[in-house]
Every structure is written in C-alpha cells, then in structure tokens.
Amino acid sequence: PLHTAVGSQESAEFHRQARLIREAWPHCAAGHLTLDGHNHFTVLEEFGAPASPLHRSALRMLQLV
C-alpha cells in the first residue's frame, strides 16, 4: 500500500507532487495525510508520536508485511 503525507506548511508544489504520485499508482494508493503545522523536515517527528495519524498509518502498513 502507498500512503502519502504532506505537511500543511508545504508549498503547493509538495501537495501537487503527492497528488501526482497517488494518481500514477491508483492500484496501491491507500491513503493521504496532511499534517497540520508541519513541513518536510518536521513531518518526520510524527513517526515517533503514537497518537499521530502518520504513526498509526505506518504501523498498519507494517502489519501487512
């Protein structure tokens, strides 16, 4: 499964690229997250936050392996 995530503080180009990736692989696009208050540097902090949607999404993908 393909999950995309973009911070809300990203430029329109980051959001456009995430959309294009999902459109290019619709057969595996499983979800998209826009993380409030983040950019492409700080969004990684969400992987370590158990209450974060990005953290939970990553765990769901790992359970599929």
Side-chain angles (χ1 to χ4, degrees):
L2 169 70
H3 293 261
T4 54
V6 179
S8 66
Q9 294 181 346
E10 292 295 359
S11 67
E13 183 60 18
F14 276 88
H15 292 272
R16 185 184 77 84
Q17 289 175 18
R19 178 181 51 78
L20 290 175
I21 290 168
R22 291 189 310 276
E23 290 173 357
W25 294 307
H27 58 285
C28 61
H32 174 75
L33 296 170
T34 300
L35 299 160
D36 288 337
H38 286 285
N39 60 46
H40 57 282
F41 294 113
T42 62
V43 74
L44 296 176
E45 297 167 1
E46 295 297 302
F47 277 118
S52 166
L54 186 58
H55 181 91
R56 292 190 304 268
S57 177
L59 286 179
R60 280 193 303 275
M61 286 194 321
L62 289 171
Q63 291 173 356
L64 294 175
V65 176

